[in-house]
Amino acid sequence: MAFINSLVSWLNTKRLSQIDFFKEHPIEIQKETLTQLLNQASDTEWGRKYDFKSMQSLQDFKERLPILTYEDIEKYIQRLRNGEQNIFWPSEIKWFAKSSGTTNSKSKFIPVSKEALEDCHFRGGKDILAIYTSLYPNTGILYGKGLTLGGSHQINNMNNDSYYGDLSAILIQNLPFWADFIRTPDTSIVLLDEWEEKLHKMTEATLNENVTSLSGVPSWFLVLLKHILKVSGKNHIHEIWPNLELFVHGGVSFTPYREQFKEILPSSQMNYLETYNASEGFFGIQDNPNDEAMLLMLDYGIYYEFIPLENVNDENPKAISLEDVDLHKNYAMLITTNGGLWRYQIGDTIHFTSKSPFKFKISGRTKLYINAFGEELIIDNAEKAMKIACTKTNSVIKEYTAAPVFMDKNQKGTHQWLIEFEQAPQNIDEFNYILDNALMSLNSDYEAKRYKNITLEKPIVSIAKKGLFYNWLKSKGKLGGQNKVPRLSNNRTLIEELLKDNQ
């Protein structure tokens, strides 16, 4: 073990030095990154449209290129999916990471270039290993296999050379052949479309493996690990995998799941690292187990800008560069990437906890949402689903709010909707059924989590007494003006307060 760890340490020395370099020279690295991106894309349709070749300064870049959302570029992405090339980025684009929808679309399809794969996503995976082995020089992680819980990919029928799927599935599909020797289960199992079949086959394939690390979304992993315990008859996972020592997690907040993981992974040798790896790029790695903040990765071919959260809905919001951010202030993040996204508003908000080096925490989304289980339910989904349910049940809603119900030992997760009706439906169960199905039709990630109740149970609809929300606003001194009841929350603070008043 000492020999292999020493060899890995030697191989990682150069990369760790590069990470130290961008920690010490963040602004210079970011300026160099932007220059390279502009040069590489100067002869693309986008580069010609905004005349990248004549740009002389950062000010030119910010003045010429607009801040964009997915809706702004969706028609161009449709052209890419139909086989056109050289629109945003010079290299061939044939992979698209499918993620949750926007106001106008059920799903987003984010272009993934070979540079984004190699220099961003895969580099992030290698850096996790480099950082972890430097933190724990005596680790045994390399003597076993990594268990990754990925999604599935499908062929885009509009063009046989265009593929889409979960980002995790795209990464697995494009890994080098030797990666099969250090991970489990086989790719054919990991990429199964049918979740129940995948669950059973992953359990069968991994029960007798020497699994030393896990990587994936906490909510999905809880389902898998609990199924493995049920099949094995064991009390905790370390009875099955005694050498398991690391869970690399991301996608949703780990806070609601932390205690449940400690219960089924009770070993004091178990370690946890958070990453921020989205469809649009790999942005951060937790490099200190005693600090929940993540290191902003600055040499992955991504140029970062930030909009103060209070200005995000301005007609022409001013975006600042890394050198101008303040600590503990919420910013909406803009990215310009080697996947061909230019000043793209990703929708996430972060706040910095350190500027030397630049470290941050994810603070939320730019819009109201629920993302406790990876469902990314946005306010537009909720409003449209409510309208459908009201129309079909001849009911009228006065006020409502919704929040997650987190998993525990005895139940899966779900959503709770607290609704004050102006005109109540005759059958609340019918209303709930229609609401649930409408949400699935509007949001592909919610639909996936609801599939056969694997992660999410059907919603709970609680009826609020007359005047509940009005009286709550009154108690907060928020009657009139622009004050509104928050429709969606990612925690239960508000709904618990309201439920207490509803007794």
Side-chain angles (χ1 to χ4, degrees):
M1 183 179 292
F3 171 74
I4 292 181
N5 287 353
S6 296
L7 177 63
V8 170
S9 177
W10 178 76
L11 292 172
N12 286 337
T13 298
K14 179 180 179 181
R15 180 55 192 155
L16 291 170
S17 296
Q18 292 171 339
I19 292 173
D20 286 338
F21 186 80
F22 79 62
K23 286 181 180 179
E24 295 169 6
H25 306 281
I27 309 308
E28 293 87 341
I29 291 294
Q30 278 286 277
K31 288 179 179 178
E32 181 182 327
T33 296
L34 180 60
T35 298
Q36 291 174 348
L37 292 170
L38 290 168
N39 288 339
Q40 284 178 274
S42 61
D43 288 323
T44 63
E45 180 178 322
W46 216 249
R48 294 190 297 271
K49 180 177 181 179
Y50 294 104
D51 196 8
F52 286 2
K53 287 183 178 179
S54 71
M55 284 189 183
Q56 300 294 316
S57 66
L58 177 59
Q59 191 64 27
D60 287 345
F61 171 74
K62 291 186 176 185
E63 288 179 354
R64 288 189 200 175
L65 269 70
I67 293 170
L68 300 171
T69 64
Y70 186 80
E71 289 90 345
D72 297 321
I73 60 173
E74 186 172 15
K75 63 181 180 181
Y76 296 96
I77 289 177
Q78 192 62 43
R79 288 170 54 195
L80 281 172
R81 293 181 66 201
N82 286 334
E84 290 189 55
Q85 297 294 337
N86 205 42
I87 297 174
F88 299 122
W89 192 249
S91 63
E92 183 184 24
I93 306 290
K94 64 178 182 179
W95 286 97
F96 296 85
K98 180 182 176 183
S99 64
S100 61
T102 65
T103 299
N104 298 318
S105 305
K106 183 176 178 180
S107 298
K108 294 184 291 187
F109 295 89
I110 305 299
V112 181
S113 67
K114 65 179 183 180
E115 291 84 1
L117 276 174
E118 294 292 339
D119 301 333
C120 184
H121 293 292
F122 285 155
R123 176 174 281 191
K126 294 173 186 175
D127 283 352
I128 292 169
L129 182 61
I131 289 169
Y132 183 76
T133 53
S134 70
L135 290 170
Y136 301 97
N138 297 319
T139 176
I141 194 174
L142 300 169
Y143 288 82
K145 293 187 175 181
L147 171 54
T148 299
L149 187 54
S152 61
H153 83 276
Q154 298 170 286
I155 294 176
N156 176 358
N157 294 326
M158 292 196 308
N159 188 290
N160 289 331
D161 293 324
S162 175
Y163 306 91
Y164 68 84
D166 295 342
L167 174 67
S168 57
I170 292 174
L171 298 181
I172 290 169
Q173 187 70 30
N174 287 278
L175 283 170
F177 75 92
W178 53 261
D180 286 332
F181 297 109
I182 60 172
R183 65 181 182 84
T184 187
D186 183 82
T187 301
S188 62
I189 296 175
V190 176
L191 295 180
L192 283 171
D193 290 326
E194 171 60 48
W195 169 251
E196 284 190 334
E197 181 186 4
K198 179 188 291 190
L199 191 66
H200 291 296
K201 289 194 172 182
M202 288 192 81
T203 300
E204 292 173 3
T206 60
L207 271 174
N208 297 313
E209 291 279 9
N210 179 25
V211 174
T212 54
S213 68
L214 310 174
S215 178
V217 178
S219 53
W220 283 107
F221 248 110
L222 265 183
V223 175
L224 173 63
L225 296 180
K226 287 181 177 180
H227 185 262
I228 289 173
L229 287 176
K230 182 179 179 181
V231 170
S232 67
K234 303 296 185 181
N235 294 315
H236 58 75
I237 293 297
H238 285 107
E239 293 180 74
I240 304 166
W241 302 322
N243 298 315
L244 178 62
E245 62 173 272
L246 174 64
F247 180 31
V248 179
H249 58 87
V252 298
S253 171
F254 191 54
T255 302
Y257 307 102
R258 192 178 301 277
E259 293 306 314
Q260 293 182 70
F261 272 91
K262 285 183 178 179
E263 186 170 329
I264 61 177
L265 296 167
S267 171
S268 60
Q269 303 303 309
M270 192 67 198
N271 301 303
Y272 300 86
L273 289 181
E274 184 174 4
T275 62
Y276 182 10
N277 189 17
S279 300
E280 295 85 352
F282 199 125
F283 309 126
I285 300 174
Q286 184 183 359
D287 65 340
N288 180 349
N290 298 314
D291 180 2
E292 292 182 358
M294 289 177 277
L295 179 68
L296 187 66
M297 308 307 289
L298 299 177
D299 63 350
Y300 285 7
I302 300 172
Y303 182 76
Y304 297 96
E305 296 175 85
F306 307 91
I307 302 173
L309 187 56
E310 62 269 22
N311 302 122
V312 76
N313 292 318
D314 293 355
E315 187 173 346
N316 294 297
K318 180 183 178 182
I320 61 175
S321 299
L322 193 60
E323 61 263 37
D324 296 320
V325 299
D326 294 323
L327 295 181
H328 311 297
K329 182 174 181 176
N330 281 320
Y331 294 100
M333 193 161 72
L334 296 182
I335 53 172
T336 293
T337 77
N338 51 10
L341 298 176
W342 297 94
R343 305 199 81 199
Y344 180 82
Q345 188 171 322
I346 191 173
D348 290 331
T349 61
I350 70 169
H351 66 266
F352 287 94
T353 62
S354 167
K355 294 175 70 171
S356 182
F358 283 95
K359 298 182 74 170
F360 70 96
K361 291 183 179 181
I362 300 171
S363 54
R365 298 282 292 175
T366 54
K367 299 178 181 179
L368 294 173
Y369 72 108
I370 300 177
N371 189 31
F373 313 99
E375 68 276 45
E376 295 194 17
L377 187 71
I378 62 174
I379 190 66
D380 187 71
N381 301 150
E383 299 285 4
K384 288 179 177 177
M386 283 287 190
K387 184 177 180 180
I388 292 169
C390 285
T391 299
K392 291 189 175 182
T393 61
N394 193 32
S395 55
V396 179
I397 289 173
K398 187 174 183 180
E399 293 282 3
Y400 75 91
T401 192
V405 178
F406 295 109
M407 297 175 179
D408 63 23
K409 289 188 293 186
N410 301 314
Q411 69 176 35
K412 298 171 184 175
T414 187
H415 293 169
Q416 183 173 17
W417 298 78
L418 180 59
I419 304 172
E420 181 179 344
F421 288 96
E422 190 72 39
Q423 179 176 312
Q426 289 188 346
N427 187 327
I428 195 65
D429 291 334
E430 180 189 18
F431 180 94
N432 191 10
Y433 176 82
I434 296 169
L435 173 65
D436 185 32
N437 279 276
L439 290 170
M440 285 190 277
S441 72
L442 293 163
N443 184 310
S444 59
D445 283 338
Y446 178 87
E447 181 181 38
K449 305 306 180 286
R450 280 286 292 120
Y451 180 69
K452 294 189 177 181
N453 297 328
I454 294 297
T455 298
L456 281 176
E457 295 276 12
K458 69 178 182 180
I460 300 167
V461 174
S462 302
I463 299 177
K465 64 185 181 183
K466 296 293 184 181
L468 176 68
F469 292 94
Y470 179 93
N471 291 329
W472 179 82
L473 286 168
K474 184 178 180 179
S475 71
K476 302 295 181 183
K478 293 184 176 181
L479 290 179
Q482 297 298 311
N483 297 302
K484 298 178 181 178
V485 175
R487 297 304 194 195
L488 303 179
S489 301
N490 218 30
N491 58 62
R492 292 191 57 80
T493 303
L494 170 61
I495 202 167
E496 289 291 354
E497 188 175 343
L498 287 162
L499 287 169
K500 184 177 179 181
D501 292 341
N502 198 46
Q503 295 175 356

